[in-house]
Amino acid sequence: MLQGVLADRDAWSPVGECPIEKTMSAVGAKSSMLIMREAYYGTTRFDDFAKRVGITKAATSARLSELVNVGLLTKRRYQEPGQRARDEYVLTDVGVDFMPVVFAMFQWGREHLPNNRKLELTHLDCGADARVEVLCDNGHRVPLDELGMKLVRRSRAR
Amino acid sequence: MLQGVLADRDAWSPVGECPIEKTMSAVGAKSSMLIMREAYYGTTRFDDFAKRVGITKAATSARLSELVNVGLLTKRRYQEPGQRARDEYVLTDVGVDFMPVVFAMFQWGREHLPNNRKLELTHLDCGADARVEVLCDNGHRVPLDELGMKLVRRSRAR
DNA sequence: CGGGATCCCTAGCGATACTG
DNA sequence: CAGTATCGCTAGGGATCCCG
């Protein structure tokens, strides 16, 4: 299983070229993941992040700055009538693209770690339960033992 | 987007009941993710993990023990003819279930972080490119802005 | 409300040396 | 080859206080 790509793996391991390693270095802090969870729930304000994630404001500040730098969130100035201007942190497209990471963790943890409360992902349009899977261009659900990797030559735009 | 579940969120945040937080606590170290990457490539031996992940043997030992405790890997004794018995670390079903986490990170990092080399996931059976997505029980690909959560009463077996 | 500054503790990790 | 033991560094993060 997956043995066929062993030769290619040496092309980027262990010298820091691996996207997984870079992702973990950039946003791999536990509180970063939890801040992103809150962002998906609609949280945008500094103190709300701090309270709901359960970390100090110092940590919140540090993590939010990192997430803005990496591009998952963006800082936006807003002004409520009669109030002074404040900052809020809103999801970017890059941040939305990060959802599979957070929800795959959510799904695995819910399934395989001891917990009492249960939450399910749902497709809001049709109401059915949903989960993270690997899908190929021909529309097949890819069992994880049929998954391979290949090197391609150059960067491709989205 | 996703605002409808705000009330439910307070049911498990921030008191450590969140599956994402538990997952990060259990296997959230960067080298744990890289060890899992190697496991998916077929690596099973101690020194191979250490070399290919690029960490010391002390760190390798600590991470492997954690991964075995959590159940992602299992320790197996083997014996090559003419050699003495050795240990190897092999993927469990729980470990295979963790693949979406690692590959979602792989996918996001490859897409959104600066890098030169490119790798693609492929469906080995049909050869088509593959990616991590959210899928509902009715077979719809769920756009991430149509994703919701709901609380369910009790644990369900797989 | 939205932070920044300071102090301190802990976990992840590298380096090195030693064991069977 | 497959580890264990020790040391020291650094980043994540809590606690507390202060500021506009």
Side-chain angles (χ1 to χ4, degrees):
Chain A
M1 148 187 189
L2 292 179
Q3 307 288 17
V5 289
L6 268 175
D8 290 349
R9 187 265 326 285
D10 294 321
W12 42 268
S13 164
V15 270
E17 289 291 339
C18 169
I20 301 166
E21 181 171 2
K22 289 186 183 177
T23 298
M24 283 301 290
S25 296
V27 290
K30 177 166 64 166
S31 54
S32 297
M33 299 291 178
L34 301 181
I35 285 178
M36 291 310 295
R37 175 199 71 193
E38 289 308 316
Y40 299 136
Y41 273 122
T43 300
T44 61
R45 301 194 184 174
F46 187 93
D47 271 36
D48 289 336
F49 281 118
K51 284 199 193 71
R52 291 172 175 160
V53 172
I55 56 178
T56 63
K57 297 203 273 189
T60 306
S61 178
R63 266 356 100 217
L64 282 177
S65 297
E66 287 174 9
L67 291 170
V68 168
N69 284 339
V70 181
L72 289 160
L73 300 177
T74 187
K75 206 171 182 172
R76 195 169 57 188
R77 201 118 199 136
Y78 72 102
Q79 175 121 28
E80 287 181 356
Q83 304 283 337
R84 58 181 177 76
R86 301 180 191 286
D87 281 324
E88 62 180 354
Y89 298 83
V90 296
L91 273 174
T92 62
D93 288 345
V94 175
V96 172
D97 275 1
F98 196 72
M99 286 182 83
V101 174
V102 176
F103 285 120
M105 281 197 186
F106 168 79
Q107 176 171 293
W108 183 87
R110 185 186 58 97
E111 200 66 43
H112 297 294
L113 294 178
N115 45 7
N116 16 22
R117 298 190 187 80
K118 296 283 179 179
L119 285 142
E120 299 284 350
L121 299 178
T122 58
H123 184 189
L124 294 177
D125 280 19
C126 74
D129 286 353
R131 81 210 59 70
V132 178
E133 290 194 20
V134 179
L135 217 64
C136 83
D137 283 343
N138 291 335
H140 304 136
R141 279 140 95 134
V142 182
L144 297 177
D145 59 347
E146 290 179 13
L147 188 61
M149 291 189 183
K150 62 171 186 202
L151 271 166
V152 294
R153 358 208 108 278
R154 215 60 205 104
S155 164
R156 295 184 325 185
R158 286 201 65 187
Chain B
M1 144 190 190
L2 292 180
Q3 307 288 16
V5 289
L6 269 175
D8 290 349
R9 188 265 326 285
D10 294 321
W12 42 269
S13 165
V15 270
E17 289 291 339
C18 169
I20 302 166
E21 181 171 3
K22 288 186 184 177
T23 299
M24 283 301 290
S25 296
V27 288
K30 177 166 64 164
S31 54
S32 296
M33 300 291 177
L34 300 182
I35 285 178
M36 291 310 295
R37 175 198 72 194
E38 289 307 317
Y40 299 136
Y41 274 122
T43 299
T44 61
R45 303 195 182 174
F46 187 92
D47 270 36
D48 289 336
F49 281 118
K51 285 198 193 73
R52 290 172 175 158
V53 172
I55 57 179
T56 62
K57 296 202 274 187
T60 306
S61 178
R63 265 358 99 215
L64 282 178
S65 296
E66 287 174 9
L67 291 170
V68 167
N69 284 338
V70 181
L72 288 159
L73 300 178
T74 187
K75 206 170 181 172
R76 195 169 58 190
R77 202 116 198 138
Y78 72 102
Q79 175 122 29
E80 289 181 355
Q83 304 283 335
R84 56 180 179 77
R86 301 180 191 286
D87 281 323
E88 61 182 351
Y89 298 84
V90 296
L91 274 173
T92 63
D93 288 346
V94 174
V96 172
D97 276 1
F98 196 71
M99 286 182 84
V101 174
V102 175
F103 284 121
M105 281 196 185
F106 169 78
Q107 177 170 293
W108 183 87
R110 186 186 57 98
E111 200 65 44
H112 296 294
L113 294 178
N115 45 8
N116 14 22
R117 297 190 189 81
K118 297 283 179 181
L119 286 143
E120 301 283 350
L121 298 178
T122 57
H123 184 188
L124 293 177
D125 280 19
C126 74
D129 286 353
R131 81 211 59 71
V132 177
E133 291 193 19
V134 180
L135 217 64
C136 84
D137 282 344
N138 290 334
H140 303 135
R141 278 139 95 134
V142 181
L144 297 178
D145 59 347
E146 289 179 15
L147 188 62
M149 291 189 184
K150 63 171 186 202
L151 271 167
V152 294
R153 1 208 106 277
R154 217 59 202 106
S155 164
R156 296 183 323 187
R158 282 203 68 188

